[in-house]
Amino acid sequence: MTLRPLAAASVIALAISLGACQDGTFGGGGSTRHLTPIPPKTLALMQTKGMAQNDPILIRAYKKEAEMEVWKRGTSGQYALLKTFPICRWSGQLGPKTKQGDRQAPEGFYTITPGQMNPNSSYYLSFDTGYPNAFDRANGRTGNYIMVHGTCSSAGCFAMTDESIAEIYAIAREAFAGGQRAFQFQSYPFRMTAQNVAKFRNDPNAPFWKNLKEGSDYFEALREEPRVGVCGTRYVFGGTDAAAGSCSPKVDTLVAEKRERDEREVVELIAKGTAATRVVYQDGGQNPVFRQQPTNAFASLGSSNEAELAYAPKDYARHNLGEVSRPDSLAAGPQEFEIDTKGKPVMTAAAEAPIPTRAAAAALAGKGDGKATGGKGEKVGARTLMAKQAEPAAEPQKPATPARVTVADAEGDPSAYRKLFGNLFDKAAPAPATPAVDAAAVPAAPASEPAKPVKTAHAARPASAAAQTTRKDAPPHEAKKAEAKAPEKTGSVAPAKN
């Protein structure tokens, strides 16, 4: 009878380990990794920026850019960026973690205390993000053991290299030693710029991201740590009034001005044609600095990427990454596609070139032999020829504007994206021999024309295929026959190849 509770406990522990970055070695152990000093180069960087190693810190993480920033607060009370670290691996999609086992890295504002630092981690070193926080619990989100750790493997965590986590851990350790009781960890889907807000405006997570931007704006405008509260199912940000539980905290003038500037820029970007898009990953991503660099000396000439980064790729290329999780999904890369106002994926269907009308074909035939003839080859009288010459020349037809075709309904339904990117989500399931077809909106043919079959755009497409359509041109001898028989046609929507 005593074995049953033990068996149940082991099953629960196994389930937890499969759903998160299980790190069950808190406390205990005899490792000295947590005593690794801050690297001399980083200490020198602190001096150039007027920082002390025991000054308070704040950390910000960005999934899409796969970067983690460490900020330090100076004597002025404002934070300044100390150093940016590339993230070696994060899993899931852009968007918050909602439940145990979804492989999602969390997004939100979290508090890290000394008790959440793990000196004896199974992943070299780590600290617990504190997910789920009060906001997550208010929204019914579940999960635990969501870490920032070493070893380039993630099941919902932010995985750094061992060297990076050792440095971040040392910086946090010295801040705690200097008297900081806790530091704030801000996690975002991407940098909260006006460009990204405009680009991802129709994503199903857009309302949540707009709420996160309120906290980001506070920090960027004031360079002060925002006090975070929860009212209902929303974050609220501000000063002491937000910390005291106010659901309508005072908005600082500088913060309000920044929000207004960003909102104006978003409107301008949309007016200029910035497309609303969504990004889908097979299973998260990593910073490009960890990808294999070109070995050809000429391949890297003229590249300015290294100069633009806050870190040198050659330094991180030498880091030990350990066992990288799901390298096949990393190699595939993210799929970015346009969506409409309801979050439905759309693609552009190319239109065929206009086919010459019968009159235009006859005129071209007449120019070809230098003679004007009738329908049966008789000569046309001079009066008739003059009348034809007096007629105004027909304007050339403009190519039809590409039609935007809705191919799937993705309003909060992940299965709709499986229709569009079938092998992206489930490689085990073979693609059907005949993919499902969604009807495309095609303009009705004029009444004078005979009915033509409506061409459609396929919904199911391989993840690696570009979202575009092709046209097939008829052989030259076939086209000449069609000129004399086919009625006037302005173009049609070509089917997308699956």
Side-chain angles (χ1 to χ4, degrees), residues 94-107:
L94 300 183
K97 182 175 183 63
T98 59
K99 61 183 179 180
Q100 179 77 34
D102 61 5
R103 295 185 66 83
Q104 284 287 101
E107 295 171 6

Side-chain angles (χ1 to χ4, degrees), residues 232-280:
T233 57
R234 285 180 52 83
Y235 280 115
V236 290
F237 305 95
T240 54
D241 52 347
S246 173
C247 288
S248 299
K250 179 183 177 182
V251 179
D252 188 276
T253 303
L254 293 177
V255 178
E257 289 175 354
K258 183 188 186 308
R259 291 177 183 173
E260 290 175 3
R261 285 195 306 271
D262 286 352
E263 289 172 3
R264 286 197 301 269
E265 187 175 352
V266 169
V267 172
E268 292 172 0
L269 288 167
I270 295 173
K272 290 178 182 178
T274 299
T277 62
R278 190 175 186 186
V279 176
V280 173

Side-chain angles (χ1 to χ4, degrees), residues 145-170:
Y145 299 113
I146 305 301
M147 323 290 291
V148 175
H149 60 65
T151 305
C152 196
S153 178
S154 171
C157 298
F158 293 98
M160 316 298 289
T161 64
D162 291 353
E163 291 163 284
S164 292
I165 191 61
E167 185 172 346
I168 294 171
Y169 195 101

Side-chain angles (χ1 to χ4, degrees), residues 129-445:
T129 61
Y131 174 92
N133 61 13
F135 173 89
D136 298 320
R137 291 191 295 270
N139 284 273
R141 298 173 181 174
T142 60
N144 50 18
Y145 299 113
I146 305 301
M147 323 290 291
V148 175
H149 60 65
T151 305
C152 196
S153 178
S154 171
C157 298
F158 293 98
M160 316 298 289
T161 64
D162 291 353
E163 291 163 284
S164 292
I165 191 61
E167 185 172 346
I168 294 171
Y169 195 101
I171 294 171
R173 180 193 66 221
E174 295 305 315
F176 287 135
Q180 187 174 17
R181 295 183 177 181
F183 69 83
Q184 191 173 86
F185 179 74
Q186 303 176 3
S187 178
Y188 299 99
F190 40 71
R191 295 186 182 277
M192 292 289 153
T193 62
Q195 291 80 5
N196 280 333
V197 171
K199 184 176 180 179
F200 295 102
R201 64 186 180 273
N202 292 343
D203 190 284
N205 292 303
F208 169 64
W209 292 339
K210 184 177 180 181
N211 190 200
L212 292 185
K213 187 178 183 298
E214 295 174 12
S216 176
D217 289 343
Y218 185 99
F219 178 79
E220 293 181 7
L222 303 178
R223 290 292 191 263
E224 296 176 2
E225 178 183 317
R227 303 293 182 90
V228 183
V230 178
C231 284
T233 57
R234 285 180 52 83
Y235 280 115
V236 290
F237 305 95
T240 54
D241 52 347
S246 173
C247 288
S248 299
K250 179 183 177 182
V251 179
D252 188 276
T253 303
L254 293 177
V255 178
E257 289 175 354
K258 183 188 186 308
R259 291 177 183 173
E260 290 175 3
R261 285 195 306 271
D262 286 352
E263 289 172 3
R264 286 197 301 269
E265 187 175 352
V266 169
V267 172
E268 292 172 0
L269 288 167
I270 295 173
K272 290 178 182 178
T274 299
T277 62
R278 190 175 186 186
V279 176
V280 173
Y281 296 81
Q282 283 200 359
D283 184 26
Q286 73 175 170
N287 193 284
V289 76
F290 297 109
R291 296 172 191 164
Q292 187 174 3
Q293 301 298 317
T295 55
N296 187 341
F298 296 99
S300 59
L301 290 178
S303 175
S304 60
N305 290 340
E306 184 167 343
E308 296 174 357
L309 295 174
Y311 36 82
K314 59 184 179 182
D315 293 339
Y316 287 89
R318 293 194 294 267
H319 281 205
N320 177 24
L321 305 187
E323 184 179 353
V324 180
S325 60
R326 300 192 177 183
D328 54 333
S329 66
L330 288 175
Q335 298 291 326
E336 185 169 331
F337 52 94
E338 187 176 345
I339 58 177
D340 63 14
T341 55
K342 293 183 179 180
K344 299 177 182 179
V346 298
M347 66 182 181
T348 302
E352 295 178 356
I355 297 175
T357 62
R358 187 179 299 176
L364 290 173
K367 288 181 181 180
D369 57 7
K371 299 178 182 179
T373 59
K376 294 184 179 180
E378 305 101 351
K379 285 189 176 181
V380 179
R383 189 174 299 175
T384 305
L385 181 60
M386 291 176 63
K388 285 186 174 291
Q389 291 175 346
E391 292 178 359
E395 294 183 4
Q397 294 182 348
K398 297 180 180 179
T401 303
R404 295 162 63 89
V405 183
T406 299
V407 297
D409 183 1
E411 189 173 0
D413 181 12
S415 64
Y417 291 101
R418 293 189 178 91
K419 296 178 184 178
L420 185 59
F421 301 105
N423 62 352
L424 182 65
F425 290 93
D426 189 2
K427 292 187 175 181
T434 304
V437 177
D438 289 333
V442 180

